[in-house]
Amino acid sequence: MTKLKWVKTREELAAFLESVVAQIKEGKLTIDKTTVELPEKAEVEFEAEARKGKKEVELEIKWELDEKTGAPEETGSEIKQNGSEPEESEEEVVHDPALNGLLAL
């Protein structure tokens, strides 16, 4: 597992994300020394949250691997948007209007 954490300026972050987008379009993603092949379809989860004194955005991309080959598994099923209620948190979550419309696709 590779996990990277660092502080970047907004411009540096944009350049990093542009690099990630270009790699996703090519079907392979390399971060640090880890390279993964990407399937045509993947489950994507995006979370934007504002709590007292802290704002956080998370992007998670998941897919299944074929047990025999270890390659990304292609499925014909469409991934449905999760309509369930958000999980409760022990911390108070504060609604921040600045997060409205974030990545409205």
Side-chain angles (χ1 to χ4, degrees):
M1 178 173 117
T2 298
K3 183 175 183 175
L4 301 174
K5 192 174 188 177
W6 61 93
V7 175
K8 290 193 174 286
T9 65
R10 187 172 46 229
E11 187 173 316
E12 291 169 332
L13 175 60
F16 171 75
L17 292 174
E18 287 168 353
S19 170
V20 169
V21 167
Q23 291 181 67
I24 289 172
K25 288 179 179 179
E26 293 295 319
K28 286 186 180 181
L29 180 61
T30 302
I31 297 190
D32 195 32
K33 296 177 179 125
T34 302
T35 300
V36 291
E37 291 196 28
L38 303 169
E40 286 297 317
K41 291 184 180 181
E43 179 180 344
V44 179
E45 182 178 328
F46 181 81
E47 182 179 333
E49 180 174 38
R51 297 176 187 209
K52 290 183 178 178
K54 181 179 177 182
K55 294 180 183 179
E56 184 175 321
V57 174
E58 290 183 27
L59 174 66
E60 188 172 310
I61 304 169
K62 295 190 249 184
W63 60 93
E64 299 293 324
L65 297 177
D66 183 286
E67 291 180 18
K68 294 178 184 174
T69 66
E73 204 173 85
E74 300 295 337
T75 63
S77 63
E78 292 293 322
I79 297 172
K80 297 180 182 175
Q81 187 171 358
N82 182 355
S84 63
E85 292 295 318
E87 295 178 19
E88 288 190 30
S89 171
E90 291 180 17
E91 296 181 39
E92 182 182 352
V93 177
V94 178
H95 176 71
D96 184 349
L99 296 176
N100 288 345
L102 190 61
L103 287 183
L105 304 173

